[in-house]
Amino acid sequence: MNSTMDETSDEPPTSAVLLDDCHFSQVIFNNVEKFYVPGGDITCYYTLTNNIAPRGKDWVGIFRVGWKTTREYYTFMWAPLPSGVSGDTAVQQQIQFKAYYLPKDDEYYQFCYVDQDGVVRGASVPFQFRAETEDDILVVTTQGEVEEIELQNKNLLKENEELKESCTSLQKQNMDLQEQLKKTQELQSGFESLKSNTEKLELELNSLKKENKHLKELDDCREAELHQLKEQIQNVTSEKECLETRLKTALDHMDQLQSQVLNYEKEVENLARLDHDKTEQLESLKEENRQLRTTVAEQGEHKEELERVLENLKGTEASLSLFLQNEQHQNRDLMKELEEKKHLFQILQAKKNETDKENQELREENALLRRLSQTADASFFSPSQHQIPPPAMGSLVFGNPYYASGANLEARAADVASIRKCPMCDEVFPEDIDTSQYEAHVQSHLLECPLCSETFEKSNKQVFDDHVYCHDLENSSEFSSAV
């Protein structure tokens, strides 16, 4: 089971990257012991080369030898970030693992530096957690051997870089070769498709050649058929000319028949106009019909056309007979209606004579009334017959300049009433008219003062307005005197 340190509760970033994809030479572990005594803290020393850029989530883990992925760590510690050092120089770092989190068995382990992407950047030599025995051989290395080993490490690093570059170049060449192979395969497939298309085109060419040969044979047959058709066309043309000649003859005969039909229609119209000759014209039409039947019998070639004309003529004959009967009935009805209208005209003429006589009497009466009206008007304007009465109670203080005019109007109405003639519009009424109707008519031409009940003609509306205004002045004077 994996365990973690007390310093953090976060899980380190790991990945399923295999060992072949790791870069173990970017971080070098220094002073790794062959044995570590169990129960004590251990310090891990390592060097960050200039090929790696440390990040905040890098970590150093203890892995059992034989691990496959970075997820198989036993314990880990976060790698501290170096401070105050440029990225072009190597940096010495160290981490201390507490004894509590270290393995308790004697299996072989190693330190591994893992970046925050879960990729191993460096690994140490294997070591064990057990006490050192007397059988263990202590190997003492001189300073020269150490320098030689470091030189070998540098050479190995250089060779590793060269191998990486060679691997990159080979990968690029491989990709180019794969692209060329792909193009070659595409060309091969295109060649195969062109080959298959060529074969198909050859097959189509052979089929077209056969079809062309067959079409040539058909063309020969068509030419023979065309020659026969030309001969048939010539025969049909000659027959057409003969038929046109016969048709022309038939058309001439039809024109004659049409002229006969037109004459027949004219005769029918004459029959409709002249009622007393209808019977004789019908007999002549029947005679012409018999002649047409004889002509149709003689013309055998046009028998069908003439039979249709004959049927039409028969229908026309029946319709004409029916039409003549209807005309006779209508004539009888018209004569009867004419007699009734003559009788009605006589009655109306008698009424008209009576009306003319009454109108003449009315004109004479009207002339008499006009003369009486002129006499009444002359007496109306006579100054000796009418006196201006003194003002009554409630009359105007300053006098009414229109009072005499109103009195004359009343006298005029009294004189005209005796002859039943309107003094305003000269309309004459019968003597037997109701007095209330006559008075209502005369009153429609007058205006009555709302204060003193004096009447004025509507044609003198200005006089009426001045009269009412005098009442207003009188009321105003009385109100001023009271104040």
Side-chain angles (χ1 to χ4, degrees):
M1 178 182 291
N2 297 339
S3 62
T4 58
M5 302 298 290
D6 291 337
E7 285 81 355
T8 178
S9 61
D10 296 336
E11 291 291 333
T14 58
S15 67
V17 180
L18 300 177
L19 295 176
D20 296 337
D21 297 327
C22 298
H23 306 279
F24 295 154
S25 62
Q26 294 180 357
V27 177
I28 301 173
F29 289 90
N30 304 320
N31 302 326
V32 180
E33 300 291 341
K34 189 177 181 180
F35 303 101
Y36 289 97
V37 179
D41 298 339
I42 62 174
T43 302
C44 174
Y45 301 95
Y46 60 91
T47 302
L48 299 175
T49 65
N50 55 2
N51 294 323
I52 185 172
R55 290 181 290 179
K57 289 290 185 177
D58 294 354
W59 54 283
V60 178
I62 297 176
F63 291 79
R64 180 179 293 177
V65 175
W67 57 274
K68 298 298 183 182
T69 67
T70 57
R71 297 174 183 174
E72 300 177 14
Y73 66 91
Y74 185 86
T75 185
F76 79 97
M77 290 290 294
W78 294 111
L81 291 174
S83 59
V85 179
S86 62
D88 296 334
T89 59
V91 180
Q92 298 292 330
Q93 296 286 94
Q94 64 179 17
I95 296 177
Q96 187 178 32
F97 289 89
K98 298 295 182 180
Y100 177 78
Y101 298 104
L102 296 176
K104 302 299 189 291
D105 55 13
D106 56 354
E107 295 290 336
Y108 283 93
Y109 292 90
Q110 64 181 148
F111 298 111
C112 291
Y113 188 96
V114 185
D115 62 10
Q116 69 178 16
D117 297 326
V119 180
V120 178
R121 299 298 183 179
S124 68
V125 296
F127 56 87
Q128 289 180 294
F129 291 95
R130 66 182 180 86
E132 185 177 358
T133 61
E134 294 180 355
D135 296 334
D136 294 334
I137 300 173
L138 178 62
V139 179
V140 179
T141 305
T142 62
Q143 182 66 28
E145 292 177 351
V146 171
E147 292 177 356
E148 185 178 357
I149 290 171
E150 290 179 354
L151 181 61
Q152 290 177 358
N153 287 333
K154 290 181 180 180
N155 292 331
L156 290 173
L157 289 173
K158 185 176 181 180
E159 291 177 0
N160 190 13
E161 293 294 334
E162 292 175 356
L163 290 173
K164 287 180 181 179
E165 293 177 357
S166 300
C167 182
T168 303
S169 176
L170 290 173
Q171 288 178 353
K172 185 176 181 181
Q173 292 178 3
N174 187 17
M175 291 175 66
D176 295 338
L177 291 173
Q178 287 179 356
E179 291 179 357
Q180 292 179 1
L181 178 62
K182 186 176 180 180
K183 292 180 180 179
T184 304
Q185 291 176 353
E186 291 177 354
L187 292 174
Q188 184 68 23
S189 62
F191 176 74
E192 294 295 334
S193 63
L194 288 174
K195 186 176 180 181
S196 62
N197 291 331
T198 303
E199 293 175 355
K200 291 179 181 179
L201 291 173
E202 289 178 354
L203 293 174
E204 291 179 357
L205 180 62
N206 293 329
S207 63
L208 289 173
K209 287 180 179 179
K210 293 179 181 179
E211 186 176 357
N212 189 15
K213 184 178 180 182
H214 180 65
L215 290 174
K216 286 181 179 179
E217 294 175 356
L218 290 175
D219 188 30
D220 295 336
C221 295
R222 293 288 185 276
E223 288 180 356
E225 292 177 357
L226 182 62
H227 183 69
Q228 294 178 359
L229 290 173
K230 287 181 179 179
E231 293 179 353
Q232 293 178 1
I233 289 171
Q234 291 178 356
N235 296 329
V236 170
T237 304
S238 61
E239 292 179 358
K240 180 183 177 183
E241 292 176 353
C242 294
L243 291 174
E244 286 179 351
T245 304
R246 294 173 62 186
L247 179 62
K248 184 177 180 181
T249 304
L251 290 174
D252 294 337
H253 187 67
M254 286 298 297
D255 291 336
Q256 295 176 1
L257 292 176
Q258 287 180 357
S259 63
Q260 293 177 2
V261 171
L262 291 174
N263 294 328
Y264 176 72
E265 290 178 353
K266 291 179 180 179
E267 292 175 357
V268 170
E269 292 177 357
N270 293 328
L271 286 173
R273 295 191 190 96
L274 304 174
D275 183 63
H276 63 280
D277 294 335
K278 289 179 181 178
T279 305
E280 294 179 358
Q281 290 179 0
L282 181 62
E283 292 296 328
S284 65
L285 287 173
K286 289 181 179 180
E287 183 64 23
E288 289 179 3
N289 191 8
R290 286 193 296 271
Q291 293 177 2
L292 288 174
R293 288 180 181 178
T294 304
T295 305
V296 171
E298 293 175 357
Q299 299 294 333
E301 295 179 356
H302 307 288
K303 183 177 181 179
E304 294 180 357
E305 291 81 355
L306 293 176
E307 286 179 354
R308 286 196 294 271
V309 174
L310 182 59
E311 292 296 329
N312 293 331
L313 291 174
K314 287 180 179 180
T316 305
E317 179 182 354
S319 62
L320 285 173
S321 299
L322 182 61
F323 177 75
L324 289 174
Q325 294 176 1
N326 293 331
E327 287 292 327
Q328 290 175 358
H329 290 299
Q330 289 179 2
N331 288 333
R332 286 195 294 271
D333 294 338
L334 289 173
M335 292 298 293
K336 184 177 180 180
E337 185 177 357
L338 181 60
E339 292 295 333
E340 293 177 354
K341 288 185 177 179
K342 285 181 179 179
H343 181 66
L344 180 61
F345 177 75
Q346 292 174 0
I347 295 172
L348 293 174
Q349 186 67 31
K351 289 183 178 180
K352 181 177 179 297
N353 294 333
E354 293 178 359
T355 304
D356 291 340
K357 185 177 180 181
E358 291 177 358
N359 288 335
Q360 184 63 29
E361 292 176 355
L362 289 174
R363 289 192 187 95
E364 293 176 357
E365 185 179 355
N366 191 15
L368 178 61
L369 291 174
R370 286 182 181 276
R371 289 194 296 272
L372 292 175
S373 176
Q374 291 174 359
T375 304
D377 290 339
S379 63
F380 175 75
F381 290 104
S382 177
S384 61
Q385 294 181 1
H386 299 281
Q387 299 294 329
I388 299 174
M393 295 298 294
S395 60
L396 299 177
V397 175
F398 302 99
N400 187 355
Y402 308 105
Y403 181 80
S405 176
N408 291 334
L409 289 174
E410 291 177 357
R412 181 182 178 186
D415 293 335
V416 176
S418 61
I419 60 173
R420 298 296 183 182
K421 180 180 179 182
C422 179
M424 305 300 175
C425 62
D426 294 334
E427 183 177 356
V428 178
F429 295 89
E431 293 180 357
D432 57 347
I433 191 172
D434 191 5
T435 305
S436 60
Q437 295 181 1
Y438 177 79
E439 291 178 353
H441 176 78
V442 175
Q443 191 66 28
S444 64
H445 294 287
L446 301 176
L447 296 172
E448 184 177 1
C449 178
L451 298 176
C452 64
S453 301
E454 188 173 354
T455 57
F456 300 87
E457 293 183 9
K458 283 186 177 181
S459 59
N460 295 329
K461 190 174 184 303
Q462 184 61 43
V463 177
F464 173 75
D465 293 337
D466 294 340
H467 173 78
V468 175
Y469 181 69
C470 289
H471 282 295
D472 293 338
L473 291 176
E474 181 181 0
N475 294 334
S476 298
S477 301
E478 292 177 359
F479 179 77
S480 300
S481 300
V483 172

Coordinates of all heavy atoms in Angstrom, one line a residue, residues 10-55:
D10 N -2.2 16.1 -0.3 CA -2.5 16.0 -1.8 C -1.8 14.8 -2.3 O -0.7 14.4 -1.9 CB -2.0 17.2 -2.5 CG -2.8 18.5 -2.1 OD1 -3.9 18.3 -1.6 OD2 -2.2 19.6 -2.2
E11 N -2.4 14.2 -3.3 CA -1.8 13.1 -4.0 C -0.9 13.6 -5.1 O -1.2 14.6 -5.7 CB -2.8 12.2 -4.7 CG -3.7 11.4 -3.7 CD -2.9 10.3 -3.0 OE1 -1.9 9.8 -3.6 OE2 -3.2 10.0 -1.9
P12 N 0.3 13.0 -5.3 CA 1.3 13.5 -6.3 C 0.7 13.2 -7.7 O 0.0 12.3 -7.9 CB 2.6 12.8 -6.0 CG 2.1 11.5 -5.4 CD 0.9 11.8 -4.6
P13 N 1.1 14.1 -8.7 CA 0.7 13.8 -10.1 C 1.4 12.6 -10.6 O 2.7 12.5 -10.5 CB 1.1 15.1 -10.8 CG 2.1 15.7 -10.0 CD 1.8 15.4 -8.5
T14 N 0.7 11.6 -11.1 CA 1.3 10.4 -11.6 C 0.8 10.2 -13.0 O -0.1 10.9 -13.5 CB 0.9 9.2 -10.8 OG1 -0.5 9.1 -10.7 CG2 1.5 9.4 -9.4
S15 N 1.3 9.1 -13.7 CA 0.8 8.8 -15.0 C 1.1 7.3 -15.3 O 1.8 6.7 -14.5 CB 1.6 9.7 -16.1 OG 2.9 9.4 -16.1
A16 N 0.6 6.9 -16.4 CA 0.8 5.5 -16.8 C 1.9 5.4 -17.8 O 1.9 4.4 -18.6 CB -0.5 4.9 -17.3
V17 N 2.8 6.3 -17.8 CA 3.9 6.3 -18.8 C 4.9 5.2 -18.5 O 5.2 4.9 -17.3 CB 4.7 7.6 -18.8 CG1 5.8 7.6 -19.8 CG2 3.7 8.8 -19.1
L18 N 5.3 4.4 -19.5 CA 6.2 3.3 -19.3 C 7.6 3.8 -19.1 O 7.9 5.0 -19.4 CB 6.1 2.3 -20.4 CG 4.7 1.7 -20.7 CD1 4.7 0.8 -21.9 CD2 4.3 0.9 -19.5
L19 N 8.5 2.9 -18.7 CA 9.9 3.3 -18.4 C 10.6 3.7 -19.7 O 11.5 4.5 -19.6 CB 10.6 2.1 -17.8 CG 10.1 1.7 -16.4 CD1 10.9 0.4 -16.0 CD2 10.3 2.8 -15.4
D20 N 10.2 3.2 -20.8 CA 10.9 3.6 -22.1 C 10.7 5.0 -22.4 O 11.5 5.6 -23.2 CB 10.4 2.7 -23.2 CG 10.7 1.2 -23.0 OD1 11.6 1.0 -22.2 OD2 10.0 0.4 -23.6
D21 N 9.6 5.7 -21.9 CA 9.4 7.1 -22.3 C 9.9 8.1 -21.2 O 9.7 9.2 -21.3 CB 7.9 7.3 -22.4 CG 7.3 6.5 -23.5 OD1 8.0 6.3 -24.5 OD2 6.1 6.0 -23.4
C22 N 10.7 7.6 -20.2 CA 11.2 8.5 -19.2 C 12.6 9.0 -19.5 O 13.3 8.4 -20.4 CB 11.3 7.7 -17.8 SG 9.7 7.2 -17.2
H23 N 13.0 10.1 -18.9 CA 14.3 10.8 -19.1 C 15.0 10.8 -17.8 O 15.0 11.8 -17.0 CB 14.0 12.2 -19.6 CG 13.2 12.3 -20.9 ND1 13.6 12.0 -22.1 CD2 11.8 12.5 -21.0 CE1 12.6 12.1 -23.0 NE2 11.5 12.4 -22.3
F24 N 15.7 9.7 -17.5 CA 16.4 9.5 -16.2 C 17.6 10.4 -16.0 O 18.1 10.6 -14.9 CB 16.8 8.1 -16.0 CG 15.6 7.1 -15.9 CD1 15.7 5.8 -16.3 CD2 14.4 7.6 -15.5 CE1 14.6 4.9 -16.2 CE2 13.3 6.7 -15.4 CZ 13.4 5.4 -15.7
S25 N 18.1 11.0 -17.1 CA 19.4 11.7 -17.0 C 19.2 13.2 -16.7 O 20.2 13.9 -16.5 CB 20.2 11.6 -18.3 OG 19.4 12.2 -19.4
Q26 N 18.0 13.7 -16.5 CA 17.8 15.1 -16.3 C 18.0 15.5 -14.8 O 18.2 16.6 -14.5 CB 16.4 15.6 -16.8 CG 16.3 15.5 -18.3 CD 14.9 15.9 -18.8 OE1 14.1 16.2 -18.0 NE2 14.7 15.9 -20.1
V27 N 17.8 14.5 -13.9 CA 18.1 14.7 -12.5 C 19.0 13.6 -12.0 O 18.7 12.4 -12.2 CB 16.8 14.7 -11.7 CG1 17.1 14.8 -10.2 CG2 15.8 15.8 -12.1
I28 N 20.1 14.0 -11.4 CA 21.1 13.0 -10.9 C 21.1 12.9 -9.4 O 21.2 14.0 -8.7 CB 22.5 13.4 -11.4 CG1 22.5 13.4 -13.0 CG2 23.6 12.4 -10.9 CD1 23.8 14.0 -13.6
F29 N 21.0 11.7 -8.8 CA 21.0 11.5 -7.4 C 22.4 11.3 -6.9 O 23.1 10.4 -7.5 CB 20.1 10.4 -7.0 CG 18.6 10.7 -7.2 CD1 17.9 10.4 -8.4 CD2 17.9 11.3 -6.1 CE1 16.6 10.8 -8.5 CE2 16.6 11.6 -6.3 CZ 15.9 11.3 -7.4
N30 N 22.8 12.0 -5.9 CA 24.2 11.9 -5.4 C 24.2 11.3 -4.0 O 23.3 11.4 -3.2 CB 24.8 13.3 -5.3 CG 24.8 14.0 -6.6 OD1 25.0 13.4 -7.7 ND2 24.5 15.3 -6.6
N31 N 25.4 10.6 -3.7 CA 25.7 10.1 -2.3 C 24.6 9.2 -1.8 O 24.1 9.2 -0.7 CB 25.8 11.2 -1.3 CG 27.0 12.2 -1.7 OD1 28.0 11.8 -2.3 ND2 26.8 13.5 -1.4
V32 N 24.1 8.3 -2.7 CA 23.1 7.3 -2.4 C 23.8 6.1 -1.7 O 24.7 5.5 -2.3 CB 22.3 6.9 -3.6 CG1 21.3 5.8 -3.2 CG2 21.6 8.1 -4.3
E33 N 23.4 5.8 -0.5 CA 24.0 4.7 0.3 C 23.5 3.4 -0.3 O 22.4 3.3 -0.8 CB 23.7 4.8 1.8 CG 24.1 6.1 2.4 CD 25.6 6.2 2.5 OE1 26.3 5.1 2.4 OE2 26.2 7.3 2.7
K34 N 24.3 2.4 -0.1 CA 23.9 1.1 -0.5 C 22.9 0.5 0.5 O 22.0 -0.3 0.2 CB 25.1 0.1 -0.6 CG 24.8 -1.2 -1.2 CD 26.1 -2.0 -1.4 CE 25.8 -3.4 -2.0 NZ 27.0 -4.2 -2.2
F35 N 23.0 0.9 1.9 CA 22.2 0.4 2.9 C 21.8 1.6 3.8 O 22.6 2.5 4.0 CB 22.8 -0.6 3.8 CG 23.3 -1.8 3.1 CD1 24.7 -2.0 2.7 CD2 22.4 -2.8 2.7 CE1 25.1 -3.1 2.0 CE2 22.9 -4.0 2.0 CZ 24.2 -4.1 1.7
Y36 N 20.5 1.6 4.2 CA 20.0 2.6 5.1 C 19.5 1.9 6.4 O 18.7 0.9 6.2 CB 18.9 3.5 4.6 CG 19.5 4.5 3.5 CD1 19.4 4.2 2.1 CD2 20.0 5.7 3.9 CE1 19.8 5.1 1.2 CE2 20.5 6.6 2.9 CZ 20.4 6.3 1.6 OH 20.9 7.2 0.7
V37 N 19.9 2.4 7.5 CA 19.6 1.7 8.8 C 18.1 1.9 9.1 O 17.7 3.1 9.1 CB 20.4 2.1 10.0 CG1 20.0 1.4 11.2 CG2 21.9 1.9 9.7
P38 N 17.3 0.9 9.3 CA 15.8 1.1 9.6 C 15.7 1.9 10.9 O 16.5 1.8 11.8 CB 15.3 -0.3 9.7 CG 16.3 -1.1 9.0 CD 17.6 -0.5 9.2
G39 N 14.6 2.7 11.0 CA 14.3 3.5 12.2 C 14.9 4.8 12.2 O 14.6 5.6 13.2
G40 N 15.6 5.2 11.2 CA 16.2 6.6 11.2 C 15.8 7.3 10.0 O 15.5 6.8 8.9
D41 N 15.9 8.7 10.1 CA 15.6 9.6 8.9 C 16.7 9.4 7.9 O 17.9 9.2 8.3 CB 15.4 11.0 9.4 CG 14.2 11.2 10.3 OD1 13.3 10.3 10.3 OD2 14.2 12.2 11.1
I42 N 16.4 9.6 6.6 CA 17.4 9.6 5.6 C 17.3 10.9 4.8 O 16.2 11.5 4.7 CB 17.2 8.4 4.7 CG1 15.9 8.4 4.0 CG2 17.4 7.1 5.5 CD1 15.7 7.2 2.9
T43 N 18.4 11.3 4.3 CA 18.4 12.5 3.4 C 18.8 12.1 2.0 O 19.8 11.4 1.8 CB 19.5 13.5 4.0 OG1 19.1 13.8 5.3 CG2 19.5 14.8 3.1
C44 N 18.0 12.7 1.1 CA 18.2 12.4 -0.4 C 18.9 13.6 -1.0 O 18.4 14.7 -0.9 CB 16.9 12.0 -1.0 SG 17.0 11.8 -2.8
Y45 N 20.0 13.4 -1.6 CA 20.8 14.5 -2.3 C 20.6 14.2 -3.9 O 20.8 13.1 -4.3 CB 22.2 14.5 -1.9 CG 22.5 14.7 -0.5 CD1 22.6 13.6 0.4 CD2 22.5 15.9 0.1 CE1 22.9 13.7 1.7 CE2 22.8 16.1 1.4 CZ 22.9 15.0 2.3 OH 23.1 15.2 3.6
Y46 N 20.3 15.3 -4.6 CA 20.2 15.2 -6.0 C 20.6 16.5 -6.7 O 20.6 17.6 -6.0 CB 18.8 14.8 -6.4 CG 17.7 15.8 -6.1 CD1 17.3 16.8 -6.9 CD2 17.1 15.7 -4.8 CE1 16.3 17.7 -6.5 CE2 16.1 16.6 -4.4 CZ 15.7 17.6 -5.3 OH 14.7 18.4 -4.9
T47 N 20.9 16.4 -8.0 CA 21.3 17.6 -8.8 C 20.4 17.8 -9.9 O 20.1 16.9 -10.7 CB 22.7 17.4 -9.3 OG1 23.6 17.2 -8.2 CG2 23.2 18.6 -10.1
L48 N 19.8 19.1 -10.1 CA 19.0 19.4 -11.2 C 19.8 20.0 -12.3 O 20.5 21.0 -12.2 CB 17.9 20.5 -10.8 CG 16.9 20.1 -9.7 CD1 16.1 21.3 -9.3 CD2 16.1 18.9 -10.1
T49 N 19.9 19.3 -13.4 CA 20.7 19.7 -14.6 C 20.0 20.9 -15.3 O 18.8 21.2 -15.0 CB 20.9 18.6 -15.5 OG1 19.7 18.1 -16.1 CG2 21.6 17.4 -14.8
N50 N 20.7 21.4 -16.3 CA 20.0 22.5 -17.0 C 19.0 22.1 -18.1 O 18.5 22.9 -18.8 CB 21.1 23.4 -17.7 CG 22.0 22.5 -18.6 OD1 21.8 21.3 -18.7 ND2 23.1 23.1 -19.2
N51 N 18.8 20.8 -18.1 CA 17.8 20.2 -19.1 C 16.4 20.1 -18.5 O 15.5 19.7 -19.2 CB 18.3 18.8 -19.5 CG 19.6 18.8 -20.3 OD1 19.8 19.8 -21.1 ND2 20.4 17.8 -20.1
I52 N 16.3 20.5 -17.2 CA 14.9 20.4 -16.6 C 14.6 21.8 -16.0 O 15.5 22.5 -15.5 CB 14.9 19.3 -15.6 CG1 13.5 19.2 -15.0 CG2 15.9 19.5 -14.5 CD1 13.3 18.0 -14.1
A53 N 13.3 22.1 -16.1 CA 12.8 23.4 -15.4 C 11.9 22.9 -14.3 O 10.8 22.4 -14.5 CB 12.1 24.2 -16.4
P54 N 12.4 23.1 -13.0 CA 11.6 22.7 -11.9 C 10.2 23.5 -11.8 O 10.1 24.6 -12.2 CB 12.4 23.1 -10.7 CG 13.8 23.2 -11.2 CD 13.7 23.7 -12.6
R55 N 9.2 22.8 -11.4 CA 7.9 23.3 -11.2 C 7.3 23.0 -9.8 O 7.8 22.1 -9.1 CB 6.9 22.9 -12.3 CG 7.3 23.4 -13.7 CD 6.4 23.0 -14.8 NE 6.6 21.5 -15.1 CZ 5.9 20.9 -16.0 NH1 4.9 21.5 -16.7 NH2 6.1 19.6 -16.2

